[in-house]
Amino acid sequence: WKSGHCTSKLNEISLFLVTERRIQLSLKTPDTWKSGNKNHSSFYTIFCQKQLELNNVSRENGTKWKEKNMLLTNAMHNINKKNEQLSNGYMVTKIDKTEALVSKGNSERTVKFEETVGKCLCSKWQQLGYPCCHAIIANKVLQYKADAKEWYEYAFSPIYLLSNYEKAYFNNPNI
């Protein structure tokens, strides 16, 4: 996750630098940027300034979300809402207290709530780290995790939780 997040930020910064036409990007390493070459030195300076700006925006966003008592980052909150809407119209057949068959038309998926992680036959939950529409509707019917906070902590990968976002952007003196 960290390298993916870092790569995303680097891409965002690089795009900013290219679109602003402040510099031409090179494939040099950060150590080379700090050498005596003025182009690389200015790239490094602009890169650091832009990273600080992005971190400040991240802190501001986190503060807004926290004030709204959100448990998920804003993007994940929106994805979750969409999956909740998609879950409408599904029929849920309880297999046992931790397993359900979720169906709509000819499509059937089995959702299993295990002690530490849930699984769905569609595999989206396992692959993406957040519950698919099948898991959301199955949890509503089975009430496996009835409390919203418990559900979010169980169903979502820690990278999507606002508490971890805060650790990354609020409690880190290096950013």
Side-chain angles (χ1 to χ4, degrees):
W1 169 76
K2 286 185 180 180
S3 76
H5 182 69
C6 231
T7 303
S8 171
K9 288 287 186 188
L10 287 172
N11 288 340
E12 191 175 339
I13 292 167
S14 298
L15 182 62
F16 163 79
L17 294 172
V18 170
T19 56
E20 293 290 316
R21 296 178 190 210
R22 294 189 178 194
I23 57 150
Q24 288 190 332
L25 294 177
S26 75
L27 299 175
K28 304 276 184 187
T29 64
D31 293 338
T32 319
W33 297 342
K34 291 181 187 178
S35 68
N37 187 323
K38 190 172 184 173
N39 268 348
H40 299 308
S41 190
S42 76
F43 176 84
Y44 183 74
T45 303
I46 294 169
F47 178 87
C48 290
Q49 288 170 344
K50 185 61 180 167
Q51 182 63 51
L52 286 172
E53 288 173 26
L54 290 171
N55 289 340
N56 286 335
V57 168
S58 296
R59 282 192 186 105
E60 289 169 15
N61 288 339
T63 301
K64 288 177 198 171
W65 302 332
K66 193 173 181 181
E67 288 169 0
K68 292 180 183 177
N69 292 321
M70 292 174 60
L71 298 169
L72 301 172
T73 61
N74 197 48
M76 186 45 53
H77 180 75
N78 292 336
I79 290 171
N80 191 50
K81 272 179 145 177
K82 183 180 175 189
N83 278 342
E84 283 179 358
Q85 292 168 349
L86 289 172
S87 70
N88 292 331
Y90 277 93
M91 299 291 299
V92 179
T93 306
K94 184 177 179 179
I95 296 172
D96 62 35
K97 65 180 184 176
T98 63
E99 193 170 357
L101 180 66
V102 179
S103 58
K104 186 177 193 179
N106 293 334
S107 172
E108 289 186 344
R109 301 288 187 258
T110 303
V111 177
K112 183 150 181 73
F113 299 105
E114 296 177 355
E115 191 172 318
T116 57
V117 67
K119 294 179 181 173
C120 179
L121 191 60
C122 78
S123 301
K124 288 181 184 175
W125 193 3
Q126 299 91 297
Q127 291 173 356
L128 301 174
Y130 57 85
C132 58
C133 58
H134 314 109
I136 290 171
I137 192 68
N139 184 60
K140 283 182 182 176
V141 171
L142 296 182
Q143 294 289 300
Y144 184 74
K145 297 284 183 184
D147 177 66
K149 186 174 185 200
E150 282 183 27
W151 170 246
Y152 288 145
E153 289 174 350
Y154 172 80
F156 289 84
S157 171
I159 64 171
Y160 300 122
L161 299 177
L162 187 56
S163 57
N164 286 321
Y165 188 89
E166 288 175 329
K167 287 176 193 173
Y169 289 102
F170 290 96
N171 301 327
N172 189 340
N174 297 323
I175 58 171

